[in-house]
Amino acid sequence: MVCPTEGTTTLELMTWNDRYSVGIGLIDSQHQQLFRLVNDLNAVMMGRSESGKTVTALDRLSAFSAAHFAHEESLMQTYGYPDFRRHKEEHDDLMNEVKSLRRDLLSGYIPLELMTAFLKDWLLNHIIAVDKQSGVYLRAAGLE
Ligand code: FE2
Ligand code: FE2
């Protein structure tokens, strides 16, 4: 008998949708990669594998987030985005939050599901409310 869930993507927590697009190709593809890394982290957790693997998946997400934020910030600075400071503050807050989540994870203090739910919500809210705004400005400046 074939298991009905075998081979499906039931572990996918985040699914890309065009309404998340900021209209700039490289930023969208980096956001899609962030979705994949959150899904990877979630999959490791759902597999209930040893915590070391969870920390590795979180570190991968954290490293890629830092690179993505640096990329967005350099574009905003290059094109003189007026709301740069507030946008960067959100990035910095998230990176600090991830550091604290990592500590909580290592000490077994935080339920794993809460961590992925937080990361998913943060990412979606940030893309929709903040990245899209800077996307409008950058597109008007000629980026695509
Ligand atoms: Fe972003
Ligand atoms: Fe951003």
Side-chain angles (χ1 to χ4, degrees):
M1 192 178 136
V2 176
C3 170
T5 56
E6 198 173 29
T8 67
T9 53
T10 49
L11 296 180
E12 190 166 276
L13 185 69
M14 301 192 71
T15 305
W16 182 259
N17 182 304
D18 277 347
R19 75 195 153 97
Y20 303 133
S21 172
V22 300
I24 296 167
L26 189 53
I27 292 182
D28 281 346
S29 69
Q30 289 176 356
H31 286 162
Q32 286 164 13
Q33 177 65 5
L34 286 170
F35 276 41
R36 278 192 286 275
L37 290 167
V38 172
N39 285 336
D40 287 350
L41 179 63
N42 190 54
V44 169
M45 285 180 187
M46 299 299 278
R48 296 285 184 266
S49 50
E50 63 270 33
S51 65
K53 282 191 180 173
T54 311
V55 172
T56 303
L58 181 63
D59 286 346
R60 259 193 227 117
L61 173 64
S62 170
F64 190 81
S65 298
H68 167 64
F69 293 162
H71 176 76
E72 277 187 358
E73 287 161 18
S74 98
L75 286 179
M76 288 189 278
Q77 281 193 301
T78 301
Y79 289 89
Y81 181 55
D83 214 11
F84 169 77
R85 195 163 285 280
R86 193 177 67 90
H87 193 143
K88 181 176 171 21
E89 255 172 36
E90 284 218 6
H91 291 168
D92 293 346
D93 287 349
L94 191 269
M95 293 312 294
N96 287 329
E97 193 62 46
V98 167
K99 275 188 203 133
S100 127
L101 284 172
R102 191 183 193 281
R103 276 194 302 272
D104 290 347
L105 189 65
L106 285 170
S107 60
Y109 182 69
I110 183 172
L112 303 177
E113 296 78 10
L114 273 188
M115 186 170 85
T116 44
F118 165 79
L119 291 168
K120 175 186 175 179
D121 284 351
W122 188 92
L123 192 54
L124 292 182
N125 287 332
H126 182 79
I127 288 174
I128 288 168
V130 179
D131 284 345
K132 277 202 171 208
Q133 261 183 9
S134 50
V136 168
Y137 179 88
L138 293 171
R139 277 205 318 279
L143 277 190
E144 54 186 37

